[in-house]
Amino acid sequence: MISQKNFIGYDAIIAEKVSQLQYFQKQEVFDFINFLLSKSSIQNEPTNRKVTFEWEGALKKMFSNISSVELQHNIWEL
């Protein structure tokens, strides 16, 4: 496991390298940091969500007189 001492070293090294970059490169680093931060919060979400099909048949009454083939043809006409 990495100790807190190593993280402090990384912070200093990263800050030194970033200070040597041009302005537009610093913007890219900033965007990438924000991406990494959002990615870590997404990974912390529970992954045991189940797929539901609650929407299945929701439009059945509305289009009861039209077959699925007719609907496909209507879509192509749009």
Side-chain angles (χ1 to χ4, degrees):
M1 182 172 205
I2 299 175
S3 68
Q4 187 67 21
K5 184 178 178 181
N6 289 343
F7 284 123
I8 295 170
Y10 281 131
D11 290 344
I13 292 169
I14 291 169
E16 180 184 333
K17 290 189 180 284
V18 168
S19 70
Q20 296 172 7
L21 296 174
Q22 295 180 11
Y23 179 75
F24 73 94
Q25 293 170 317
K26 289 178 183 180
Q27 288 178 314
E28 290 182 36
V29 170
F30 182 74
D31 290 340
F32 185 65
I33 290 169
N34 285 332
F35 165 73
L36 290 176
L37 290 171
S38 69
K39 183 179 170 185
S40 65
S41 64
I42 290 171
Q43 290 177 348
N44 291 337
E45 291 181 9
T47 57
N48 58 355
R49 290 187 270 165
K50 295 181 180 180
V51 176
T52 63
F53 293 95
E54 296 172 358
W55 51 267
E56 186 177 15
L59 299 175
K60 193 172 189 176
K61 291 179 184 176
M62 186 180 290
F63 296 104
S64 61
N65 59 341
I66 300 175
S67 71
S68 60
V69 175
E70 289 175 302
L71 282 174
Q72 291 174 15
H73 288 285
N74 289 343
I75 290 170
W76 281 106
E77 291 174 5
L78 295 176

